[in-house]
Amino acid sequence: MKTILTALAISLCLFSCQKDEETKPDQKVEYKISCQECSVEIGAGPSVKAFSVKDFLIYHTVVNEPQTNIVVSGSGEIKTQVNLNGNVIFNQTDNNGRFVYTVKLK
C-alpha cells in the first residue's frame, strides 16, 4: 500500500511540474526602431543588447519575461514599435532626445 501511495504522489508531482512549464510559453518579440541616427538598448541587467542604429533596426528575440526596457537616444524622428507574437503592443514616436520605455510583455 505504501508503494502505491508513493507512486501516486510521484505521478502527481510530475504532472503538476509539466503543467507549470506548459503555462509559461516563450514569447516572440520583435523590436522595430527607425531614426536618423540613434543608440538603442533593449532588455535589463546583464542581458541588455546595445545597438547603434542608422535609419532602421529590426531585432527579434524570444523571451519569457513580464516586461522589457528600451532606451533610445538620438536625433530626428524616432519611431519605436514592439510586436509580441505578431501583435503590436507598443508604438511610440518622439523627436530628438533620450527616451526610456518600459514595455509590459503580457
Side-chain angles (χ1 to χ4, degrees):
M1 182 69 168
K2 187 176 183 180
T3 305
I4 294 172
L5 290 175
T6 303
L8 182 60
I10 291 171
S11 297
L12 287 173
C13 179
L14 289 175
F15 175 75
S16 66
C17 292
Q18 289 174 349
K19 189 175 181 182
D20 286 346
E21 288 176 12
E22 291 171 9
T23 59
K24 294 182 177 180
D26 288 336
Q27 301 179 90
K28 296 175 185 173
V29 183
E30 177 185 66
Y31 300 90
K32 293 181 179 181
I33 313 286
S34 65
C35 59
Q36 183 178 352
E37 192 169 341
C38 59
S39 62
V40 178
E41 292 179 4
I42 297 172
S47 63
V48 170
K49 302 289 184 198
F51 305 93
S52 292
V53 180
K54 186 162 178 77
D55 299 323
F56 204 77
L57 165 75
I58 296 178
Y59 174 66
H60 295 267
T61 189
V62 176
V63 299
N64 192 5
E65 300 293 331
Q67 68 184 28
T68 188
N69 297 324
I70 305 169
V71 179
V72 183
S73 302
S75 60
E77 184 177 70
I78 301 169
K79 293 183 180 180
T80 305
Q81 183 180 52
V82 179
N83 298 326
L84 177 64
N85 298 325
N87 299 311
V88 176
I89 61 167
F90 183 81
N91 196 5
Q92 183 74 33
T93 301
D94 294 296
N95 288 306
N96 298 322
R98 182 176 189 274
F99 306 95
V100 180
Y101 311 113
T102 299
V103 180
K104 300 221 182 281
L105 303 174
K106 298 177 186 175

